[in-house]
Amino acid sequence: MLNILLKVLGYILFTASLLFNYFAYAQAPHHDLLSKLNTHETKGAASGFVDDIACSTCHNQIYQSYQNVGMARSFSSPANTAFIERFGEEFYQTESQRYYRIDQQGTELTFFRYQKDSDGKIINQISLNIEWVLGSGYRARSYLYRNDSGELFMLPIGWYSQSQEWGMSPGFEDAEHFGIQRQIKRECLFCHNAYPEVPINSDHHLAGHYFPKELPQGTGCQRCHGPGAEHVRTALSVASKAEIIAKIINPRKLPPEERDSICFQCHMLPAVSMIGIRDFNQSTYSFRAGQKLTNYINHVEVTQENVEKDEQFEINHHGYRFWQSKCYQQSEAELACITCHNPHEKPNSAQFRASVSNKCQNCHSQIVTLHPNLSSTTQMNEANKGTKSDVEPITADSDCVTCHMPTRRTQDVIKVTMTDHLISRGPFDLDAILKPRERDDPIITDVNLLPWGELPNERDTELLRAVTVLRTRANKDATNALKNLLINNPIRSPIPYIDLLNAEITLGKYGDAENTAHHVLNQPNAPTFEVLSQLALAQLGLNKTQSAIDTLTYAISLRNNPVNNYNLGVILFNQGQFEQAEIQFDLAIKLRPNMHAAWLYRGRILAQNAQFDEAIEAMKQSLAIAPSYENAYVDLINLLEQQQHHDEARRYLEVGLRVASSTGQLTALESKR
């Protein structure tokens, strides 16, 4: 009997153990319901998201259709890109006297940039592996590379699909441009990609711009519908339809401002020359569908010298021009982007325009009587040229878009034409708005917050205006305005104080900058590293060299940073501490290999150590990175002459005199020959 009881008890305990283990197993994090779809919920700065492929489980038709939309193709690896370019072609930029080429080998892309000497031989060549393609290619594409630290940089050459040609990407048109050193910031990718999975606070305004090796590819579903992890879990748990729907955002069911905020988060950019700033408490990846955009970012309108407001037209003016339209303003929030656009489908041009025209006629029902003596096939040319037509009048099936939202050339990307979303009566001079144009840097005479949504109070408005100006270009008036605002109305956030500090250093107001830095450091939770980096520059400007060394050394002990390593290296080099300086330059190069000035100083130290061949190579690398860097030409030519490499020295002198950004030292060298 006892044996039987013991067996029964053992069985009960065994069963209880199994049940306990089962429930523990089912509730374990690695057995999250999301694992059924081989996906996971993101953590960190952008939490609550899943891989977009999970959306296809229930919404496959929409998901597959969306893959053809430009937003889905806004960012991709070469291996995941449908190539449309003519690779292997040599493109020459006259202004900088540089040659560009992108070669393809399978799914790999390699960028080349070089110059040619008087004999046509290649000089100052650099090659880089392209890791990311920016843009769908429906209008244009640009290309990015990444260093081992996680920094992304934009390459100067781009592909323009409308004209089927290579050309300089926006911002690289002039002789002096960023070259291969134009860093991509989080704000750049905010609209070109879904949020990456990165640690919390790594997307704070003062944080460095570093990206993981693996990134999302395309804007994705959840930028418009909100993080999907809970929605997918709810669906997998076989909850009710109402519960499932409640866990995701449907933009059409949102209040007007929140609805439009979804589109405007990327398509409202009134001026690329002066971009509004985020709320000081918001990090880059903090915006979510369903929120008000004005609680995240404060967009600004600019006044440009000699350019009327209604003539300001840029490549990302869809939302801005649409917002300016009387149709939008007077629709009492009925008219929206999604009134005409289905974001899940790439529109067929003819069908899409017919659909939009039908929407127009919901309000403008008297289309025939308002357009006498114009035909649907000739309306654009006839109306815009102001001539009369004897053909049949317009009908209800006519195309409204062609006349009232004409295609025109953009100011900022001059090789591209776009549909103007400012719905206007016309007529337009189509030849004038489509003709090729030269790119001009706008002269901004005023800046104001965009009057959309809930605006801040007067004090905060002035604060935001001043900071917006200073992040574009240091300006004495804006600096004084910001300083007075912060003195009279101190705020908790350190961010505007850092903007003031940066402006004071740029303007050479080193004493003021030192005071600002100490003020911020004395505040609770001060961003010590960021302030120390700038304080050191102020101390250098005040000739407090040892203080600057101590400050930089402390900053570097907190976090390595290529700029701080470089600046400390320069100070040590000038003091003759070459061994310690070399350590700092090597660290700077390791963290940011495209830092041309660090390569030059490395070459100088190698020359001091009689490592002449290595020194020559380091100086050549400096010129390969920055082919207009006169100091590198001078040092390299002198070293080549010392080493009896006279022909090579003459070669670099000839090229330097032709392509360097300044040639005073090179001209002096030539006169001594």
Side-chain angles (χ1 to χ4, degrees):
M1 185 69 177
L2 180 61
N3 289 335
I4 295 174
L5 289 173
L6 288 174
K7 287 182 179 180
V8 170
L9 180 62
Y11 177 77
I12 293 172
L13 291 173
F14 176 71
T15 304
S17 175
L18 284 178
L19 289 171
F20 176 82
N21 289 332
Y22 170 78
F23 286 116
Y25 178 83
Q27 293 175 10
H30 61 278
H31 285 93
D32 185 350
L33 285 171
L34 297 178
S35 64
K36 290 185 176 182
L37 298 181
N38 195 29
T39 189
H40 76 288
E41 178 182 1
T42 59
K43 308 296 181 184
S47 61
F49 294 85
V50 293
D51 293 332
D52 281 329
I53 191 67
C55 304
S56 68
T57 306
C58 298
H59 309 284
N60 187 55
Q61 184 176 352
I62 292 175
Y63 176 83
Q64 296 300 335
S65 173
Y66 179 68
Q67 301 314 303
N68 295 315
V69 176
M71 292 184 291
R73 300 184 173 198
S74 55
F75 190 81
S76 60
S77 67
N80 198 39
T81 301
F83 294 137
I84 55 175
E85 302 89 333
R86 293 195 303 270
F87 294 117
E89 291 186 355
E90 185 179 72
F91 174 77
Y92 177 68
Q93 185 190 24
T94 305
E95 292 81 1
S96 65
Q97 301 184 56
R98 299 174 190 175
Y99 295 84
Y100 299 90
R101 196 180 77 245
I102 294 178
D103 287 354
Q104 174 196 359
Q105 187 170 10
T107 60
E108 296 183 356
L109 300 178
T110 306
F111 165 84
F112 294 89
R113 188 197 63 195
Y114 47 90
Q115 294 174 300
K116 294 182 180 180
D117 62 17
S118 56
D119 294 327
K121 295 181 179 178
I122 289 176
I123 193 171
N124 295 336
Q125 175 169 283
I126 194 164
S127 64
L128 295 160
N129 293 327
I130 292 173
E131 297 198 41
W132 298 105
V133 178
L134 188 72
S136 67
Y138 292 145
R139 289 293 191 280
R141 270 184 179 160
S142 298
Y143 309 88
L144 313 180
Y145 73 97
R146 179 183 182 274
N147 64 26
D148 290 340
S149 297
E151 294 177 321
L152 287 175
F153 296 88
M154 184 177 180
L155 293 168
I157 191 175
W159 174 257
Y160 292 93
S161 305
Q162 290 175 311
S163 54
Q164 289 287 293
E165 63 178 334
W166 294 102
M168 303 307 292
S169 288
F172 293 91
E173 296 90 348
D174 299 330
E176 289 300 314
H177 52 65
F178 290 99
I180 62 168
Q181 297 168 304
R182 184 178 184 178
Q183 189 173 3
I184 292 291
K185 299 184 177 181
R186 287 184 298 275
E187 291 80 1
C188 302
L189 287 194
F190 176 84
C191 289
H192 275 278
N193 208 15
Y195 294 155
E197 187 167 14
V198 294
I200 194 167
N201 290 328
S202 66
D203 61 334
H204 187 270
H205 173 70
L206 299 177
H209 295 271
Y210 300 101
F211 299 89
K213 192 170 183 62
E214 297 298 324
L215 289 169
Q217 299 193 44
T219 305
C221 309
Q222 297 162 87
R223 288 296 296 277
C224 297
H225 294 283
E230 282 305 307
H231 173 66
V232 175
R233 280 198 192 96
T234 307
L236 290 172
S237 67
V238 200
S240 69
K241 183 177 180 181
E243 289 177 298
I244 296 170
I245 291 174
K247 296 295 185 179
I248 203 70
I249 295 293
N250 183 340
R252 292 187 183 277
K253 296 183 179 180
L254 291 173
E257 186 176 345
E258 287 86 336
R259 173 200 67 198
D260 294 345
S261 291
I262 290 177
C263 299
F264 287 178
Q265 65 175 306
C266 289
H267 293 288
M268 174 60 82
L269 187 62
V272 72
S273 56
M274 189 169 286
I275 298 174
I277 62 172
R278 290 196 311 274
D279 182 276
F280 299 136
N281 296 316
Q282 297 284 350
S283 54
T284 309
Y285 305 133
S286 63
F287 181 77
R288 299 290 184 271
Q291 298 175 346
K292 291 183 178 182
L293 187 63
T294 48
N295 292 335
Y296 172 78
I297 193 169
N298 298 275
H299 281 301
V300 297
E301 287 187 293
V302 300
T303 302
Q304 297 180 21
E305 188 175 277
N306 300 322
V307 181
E308 296 295 329
K309 187 66 66 70
D310 61 0
E311 289 301 315
Q312 295 177 19
F313 182 62
E314 298 179 354
I315 193 169
N316 195 8
H317 265 184
H318 313 77
Y320 179 54
R321 299 287 278 184
F322 178 55
W323 169 82
Q324 289 177 303
S325 303
K326 287 185 179 180
C327 291
Y328 178 86
Q329 298 283 353
Q330 297 178 8
S331 73
E332 298 182 351
E334 287 296 318
L335 188 62
C337 303
I338 54 178
T339 301
C340 297
H341 289 277
N342 180 349
H344 301 130
E345 295 180 1
K346 180 185 177 183
N348 174 284
S349 183
Q351 294 176 357
F352 177 65
R353 285 172 178 257
S355 172
V356 172
S357 297
N358 288 333
K359 302 286 175 56
C360 296
Q361 292 172 52
N362 287 338
C363 294
H364 305 284
S365 57
Q366 297 180 339
I367 182 172
V368 176
T369 58
L370 291 173
H371 297 78
N373 301 322
L374 291 178
S375 77
S376 58
T377 55
T378 62
Q379 59 181 343
M380 179 177 66
N381 291 331
E382 299 294 335
N384 288 312
K385 292 180 180 178
T387 60
K388 294 182 179 180
S389 172
D390 295 326
V391 294
E392 295 181 4
I394 263 183
T395 70
D397 296 326
S398 298
D399 175 9
C400 303
V401 177
T402 302
C403 274
H404 296 285
M405 299 171 65
T407 298
R408 62 191 302 167
R409 192 165 299 279
T410 64
Q411 291 173 274
D412 54 333
V413 186
I414 57 177
K415 289 183 177 292
V416 166
T417 62
M418 299 288 291
T419 299
D420 188 353
H421 282 66
L422 176 61
I423 307 168
S424 305
R425 294 184 64 180
F428 302 95
D429 184 343
L430 294 184
D431 291 337
I433 65 177
L434 284 170
K435 72 178 181 181
R437 61 182 299 161
E438 296 295 322
R439 182 180 179 276
D440 295 320
D441 290 327
I443 300 173
I444 299 173
T445 58
D446 197 13
V447 54
N448 291 286
L449 296 193
L450 182 76
W452 178 74
E454 185 177 348
L455 295 177
N457 60 42
E458 183 177 351
R459 184 206 68 178
D460 289 347
T461 294
E462 292 307 306
L463 181 68
L464 293 168
R465 289 180 67 217
V467 173
T468 300
V469 171
L470 292 181
R471 289 191 189 174
T472 302
R473 185 175 293 111
N475 172 288
K476 182 179 179 181
D477 292 337
T479 302
N480 292 336
L482 178 57
K483 187 170 186 175
N484 290 332
L485 285 165
L486 293 175
I487 289 173
N488 295 324
N489 298 282
I491 65 174
R492 286 187 175 184
S493 172
I495 291 176
Y497 294 93
I498 301 293
D499 287 301
L500 174 62
L501 174 59
N502 293 340
E504 288 172 337
I505 289 173
T506 301
L507 294 173
K509 301 172 72 171
Y510 300 117
D512 290 347
E514 186 179 41
N515 291 334
T516 300
H518 285 303
H519 171 78
V520 179
L521 288 172
N522 288 330
Q523 304 306 307
N525 302 315
T528 305
F529 171 80
E530 291 78 10
V531 178
L532 291 175
S533 301
Q534 297 302 88
L535 174 60
L537 297 180
Q539 291 168 334
L540 278 176
L542 295 170
N543 295 317
K544 299 180 179 180
T545 305
Q546 188 56 50
S547 294
I549 291 174
D550 294 341
T551 300
L552 284 171
T553 301
Y554 181 31
I556 290 169
S557 73
L558 298 175
R559 187 189 315 162
N560 266 326
N561 173 276
V563 175
N564 285 342
N565 293 128
Y566 171 78
N567 287 336
L568 180 56
V570 171
I571 299 172
L572 296 172
F573 181 90
N574 290 335
Q575 291 187 337
Q577 300 183 51
F578 301 124
E579 185 176 345
Q580 294 303 312
E582 184 177 16
I583 293 172
Q584 298 303 322
F585 292 130
D586 285 348
L587 280 170
I589 291 169
K590 181 180 179 180
L591 293 170
R592 188 175 293 170
N594 64 5
M595 186 177 277
H596 65 281
W599 279 101
L600 175 58
Y601 272 100
R602 186 173 192 277
R604 288 170 173 172
I605 291 173
L606 289 167
Q608 288 277 350
N609 297 334
Q611 296 173 267
F612 300 117
D613 290 344
E614 294 89 339
I616 288 171
E617 290 306 311
M619 293 174 184
K620 286 184 177 181
Q621 181 65 15
S622 177
L623 287 172
I625 296 167
S628 61
Y629 189 27
E630 185 184 23
N631 288 344
Y633 281 108
V634 172
D635 282 34
L636 176 59
I637 291 165
N638 284 331
L639 185 55
L640 288 170
E641 291 283 10
Q642 293 170 16
Q643 297 303 303
Q644 307 300 311
H645 301 316
H646 302 300
D647 290 343
E648 190 77 344
R650 279 193 294 272
R651 183 172 180 246
Y652 275 93
L653 179 59
E654 178 271 320
V655 172
L657 286 168
R658 180 161 46 85
V659 306
S661 56
S662 58
T663 56
Q665 298 177 74
L666 290 170
T667 301
L669 275 181
E670 184 185 37
S671 66
K672 294 178 182 179
R673 296 180 67 86

